[in-house]
Amino acid sequence: MLERKNAQRDRIAPKLREAMNDVKNGLSPWPLVIVGEAGAGKTCAALLLMEWWGRNGCYTTLPRFCKRLAEAMHGRLYTSTGYQMQEDDVWDEWTRAAVAAMDEVGTRDRVSDHHFETLLEALNSREGHPTMFISNSGRTQLARVYDDRVASRLTGGTVVYVKGDQRKGKTVGG
């Protein structure tokens, strides 16, 4: 198991590993935003950082989080024990996590008001706390899809651009 984790870690380029260590150790500001093309290992890196953190973490995609909020708002979201979750319960999971990661940010050319407001609140509610956002889009594209305010907040911490395709065995980062 340890060998597998080390192998995963070793496939992440030193530049990205260094940035991950720096934010984890308080040497660089949160949020950590990992940007790159599909297959570059962004999600793998984020999940690895959550493992390194070793505490209560929350990983989600922005579309999944929006869907859970909508289900809670309409009284259709339940836990496995039958508890009906409210909108505040969904937000509490996100805001109270020791570390949180939101994937698939900016994957569409246009977004709904709900999607926009959810991302803005996700950013605001985790400001200064260990949080990662993962996107295929850089700042210019994010500003076009959302607005300058969201793009500024997303890129106001530590941004790492990754290259390559992990699925083909190439290293990411640079």
Side-chain angles (χ1 to χ4, degrees):
M1 181 74 141
L2 182 58
E3 289 176 14
R4 187 170 156 243
K5 284 184 182 182
N6 287 337
Q8 289 174 329
R9 186 195 68 227
D10 291 344
R11 291 191 62 180
I12 298 170
K15 174 184 166 185
L16 180 53
R17 279 199 315 260
E18 181 181 341
M20 292 166 65
N21 278 320
D22 286 352
V23 295
K24 182 179 183 289
N25 294 320
L27 302 174
S28 295
W30 294 100
L32 171 61
V33 177
I34 305 172
V35 179
E37 57 194 44
K42 300 178 303 291
T43 300
C44 177
L47 292 172
L48 184 60
L49 181 61
M50 293 187 78
E51 277 186 37
W52 287 351
W53 202 261
R55 293 188 271 164
N56 174 39
C58 176
Y59 171 86
T60 189
T61 66
L62 181 52
R64 183 182 310 134
F65 195 78
C66 288
K67 182 179 179 183
R68 289 187 78 220
L69 281 173
E71 289 174 346
M73 286 187 274
H74 292 97
R76 296 188 306 250
L77 184 62
Y78 294 88
T79 67
S80 60
T81 60
Y83 171 76
Q84 184 178 10
M85 293 183 72
Q86 305 298 312
E87 184 179 0
D88 286 346
D89 297 322
V90 177
W91 280 113
D92 283 349
E93 287 177 347
W94 173 254
T95 58
R96 292 184 181 177
V99 61
M102 187 170 282
D103 205 343
E104 298 181 25
V105 174
T107 56
R108 302 283 182 254
D109 289 334
R110 294 185 331 188
V111 296
S112 68
D113 288 346
H114 174 66
H115 184 109
F116 172 86
E117 291 164 5
T118 298
L119 177 57
L120 185 59
E121 181 60 26
L123 283 159
N124 291 338
S125 66
R126 297 283 311 175
E127 185 177 354
H129 297 283
T131 312
M132 293 172 278
F133 294 92
I134 302 141
S135 180
N136 295 355
S137 304
R139 189 187 195 294
T140 302
Q141 176 70 10
L142 290 168
R144 191 180 67 70
V145 172
Y146 297 102
D147 65 11
D148 286 328
R149 177 178 44 162
V150 168
S152 175
R153 288 178 188 168
L154 273 169
T155 59
T158 303
V159 181
V160 179
Y161 293 89
V162 294
K163 301 176 193 172
D165 189 338
Q166 285 247 110
R167 295 173 297 194
K168 295 178 184 170
K170 296 179 182 174
T171 304
V172 300

